[in-house]
Amino acid sequence: MTTNNPFLRALKRTSTVQQIAIGLVLGVLLYIISPSAAKTAGIFGDMFVGALKAVAPFLVFVLVTAAITKHQKGNETHIKPILLLYLLGTLGAALVAVAAGLFFPTELKLIGGNVDSAAPSGIGEVLKTVLLNLVDNPIKALSSGNYIGILAWALMLGFALRHASAATRSMVADMADAVSNIVGWVIRFAPLGIFGLISATLAATGFGALKDYFRLLVVLVGCMLFVAFVFNPLIVWWKIKKNPYPLVLTCLRESGVNAFFTRSSAANIPVNMALAKKLGLHEDTYSISIPLGATINMAGAAITITVLALAAAHTQGIQVDFLTALLLSLVATVSACGASGVAGGSLLLIPLACSLFNIDNDVAMQVVAVGFVIGVVQDSCETALNSSTDVLFTAAADYGSRKQ
């Protein structure tokens, strides 16, 4: 649809990343010019966080349900080794993020201040909370943001619907696509929301908040670089038994760089397909594993979910023990596999991880909003890691099988 409005035409030509960057700069400028006006502009941040809070529970429910429902029996026999690498890579990334989050703790200055919540005393209380939340009423779970309950009901419904008719399964998939579209519409307002968020945060805390955001970004990107250049090469070496770095660097250069700028694993599928063909991989394997990896192979998302959940815990003064951190890595792995394909989709799964620590949903959503502030860089790095790993692990499994 064309428009004669020059402002709207310019807006369409500007990417969401550029718009968020502009909103960030304008928020800082408004605080410098008029702190009182910056405080008033916080209403836009409140509206954006409120919209995310409203849509996130239903998004998690339909995405997980659809992912389980559409799984076809028999596909796993062709790509079982690749699925194992996808799972190992995502879990390993979550464990790396746990270690980084504990060694480099980050406390955040949130818009509404730090809302105190009852910190769990240890793994026993965490498990008790998880078990009770698992059997929560599904309607109550959706309305209250009980993400553990939402995940449990989505899994059960998804497995039950695998035996439904093709039309029913198609309807569930269409519902997931529709809700993802709604999330996309909400995220289109992220620049305005970030403008309000930064304005209000600076009015309340000054420039100290930006220092915290930069530290958080350094931890996130550092984890992703470690996984890309240390952890993933170890997995590839385990499979192919020779120097993994030529293959790793090829995948990062020809897939990761493009994904960094497109910020979409789905949009990068044709690039990965062409690279897989260039690497001489079996077409009947990569034609399945590459699209599947764009959906479930989400090491970068696991890092984002874990680091931001730990930042929320540190902000609340919650001490995280080893066993709880291990449980967090498992939850992040499962959550990452259900991350939405839209830009910033992994951020909406942070409340699920935060629920392990009894962190209030309002606080979790404020942390999600912080994620959108640093998302100009974080989401690009996350997508580059996710997408390049799809073809990397496909190639590692293929080459490894030829040596047997």
Side-chain angles (χ1 to χ4, degrees), residues 8-352:
L8 292 179
R9 289 202 305 270
L11 190 64
K12 287 185 176 181
R13 290 195 301 267
T14 307
S15 70
T16 303
V17 177
Q18 293 172 320
Q19 292 174 23
I20 290 177
I22 292 171
L24 182 62
V25 172
L26 291 179
V28 173
L29 290 177
L30 181 61
Y31 166 71
I32 295 174
I33 296 171
S34 175
S36 59
K39 185 176 181 180
T40 303
I43 183 63
F44 297 116
D46 292 339
M47 291 177 64
F48 180 60
V49 172
L52 293 174
K53 182 180 176 182
V55 74
F58 194 53
L59 174 70
V60 172
F61 181 77
V62 296
L63 282 181
V64 175
T65 301
I68 300 298
T69 301
K70 69 182 179 182
H71 175 75
Q72 296 295 316
K73 291 183 178 180
N75 285 350
E76 70 272 17
T77 59
H78 300 99
I79 59 169
K80 188 176 294 183
I82 302 174
L83 290 178
L84 177 61
L85 293 183
Y86 284 170
L87 178 61
L88 181 61
T90 303
L91 178 59
L95 290 171
V96 168
V98 164
L102 294 179
F103 280 114
F104 305 101
T106 303
E107 294 185 12
L108 303 173
K109 294 180 176 64
L110 303 176
I111 307 173
N114 295 344
V115 182
D116 292 330
S117 54
S121 58
I123 186 64
E125 186 173 342
V126 171
L127 290 175
K128 178 182 177 181
T129 301
V130 169
L131 291 174
L132 290 176
N133 285 339
L134 280 173
V135 294
D136 196 8
N137 181 286
I139 304 301
K140 181 182 176 183
L142 284 168
S143 62
S144 63
N146 170 13
Y147 286 88
I148 299 296
I150 291 170
L151 183 62
W153 283 105
L155 288 171
M156 287 190 289
L157 183 60
F159 280 114
L161 287 174
R162 287 180 64 184
H163 304 287
S165 65
T168 300
R169 295 198 303 271
S170 177
M171 183 193 71
V172 174
D174 290 343
M175 179 67 73
D177 291 340
V179 176
S180 294
N181 286 336
I182 293 174
V183 173
W185 298 339
V186 172
I187 292 177
R188 288 298 297 172
F189 288 94
L192 186 60
I194 297 307
F195 166 73
L197 168 68
I198 287 296
S199 299
T201 302
L202 292 178
T205 66
F207 284 101
L210 296 184
K211 180 181 177 182
D212 294 336
Y213 295 169
F214 180 74
R215 176 186 174 90
L216 180 64
L217 181 61
V218 169
V219 173
L220 279 167
V221 176
C223 287
M224 294 177 190
L225 290 174
F226 182 87
V227 170
F229 290 102
V230 179
F231 185 75
N232 282 350
L234 286 174
I235 295 178
V236 175
W237 175 84
W238 169 60
K239 291 298 293 184
I240 68 176
K241 298 297 187 299
K242 66 178 184 179
N243 181 7
Y245 282 99
L247 178 59
V248 169
L249 295 177
T250 296
C251 293
L252 287 173
R253 182 179 64 251
E254 300 196 23
S255 172
V257 172
N258 188 75
F260 181 90
F261 291 104
T262 62
R263 299 172 71 233
S264 171
S265 293
N268 210 45
I269 287 176
V271 175
N272 281 349
M273 290 284 207
L275 178 56
K277 183 178 182 179
K278 180 179 178 181
L279 292 172
L281 307 184
H282 290 102
E283 185 176 359
D284 58 345
T285 299
Y286 71 72
S287 62
I288 298 174
S289 67
I290 296 299
L292 185 62
T295 304
I296 68 171
N297 183 36
M298 296 289 178
I303 291 172
T304 298
I305 294 167
T306 302
V307 170
L308 283 165
L310 286 173
H314 292 310
T315 300
Q316 295 298 99
I318 297 173
Q319 298 297 319
V320 182
D321 58 43
F322 174 76
L323 291 177
T324 304
L326 183 61
L327 181 60
L328 171 62
S329 65
L330 294 174
V331 170
T333 300
V334 175
S335 302
C337 292
S340 173
V342 300
S346 61
L347 297 175
L348 299 182
L349 295 167
I350 292 169
L352 173 59

Side-chain angles (χ1 to χ4, degrees), residues 312-393:
H314 292 310
T315 300
Q316 295 298 99
I318 297 173
Q319 298 297 319
V320 182
D321 58 43
F322 174 76
L323 291 177
T324 304
L326 183 61
L327 181 60
L328 171 62
S329 65
L330 294 174
V331 170
T333 300
V334 175
S335 302
C337 292
S340 173
V342 300
S346 61
L347 297 175
L348 299 182
L349 295 167
I350 292 169
L352 173 59
C354 287
S355 65
L356 288 175
F357 306 114
N358 291 340
I359 295 175
D360 186 88
N361 201 33
D362 290 333
V363 173
M365 280 303 170
Q366 290 178 45
V367 175
V368 171
V370 172
F372 277 101
V373 173
I374 62 176
V376 174
V377 176
Q378 168 270 327
D379 193 55
S380 293
C381 292
E382 176 184 312
T383 308
L385 176 61
N386 290 341
S387 191
S388 64
T389 306
D390 295 344
V391 67
L392 175 66
F393 286 164

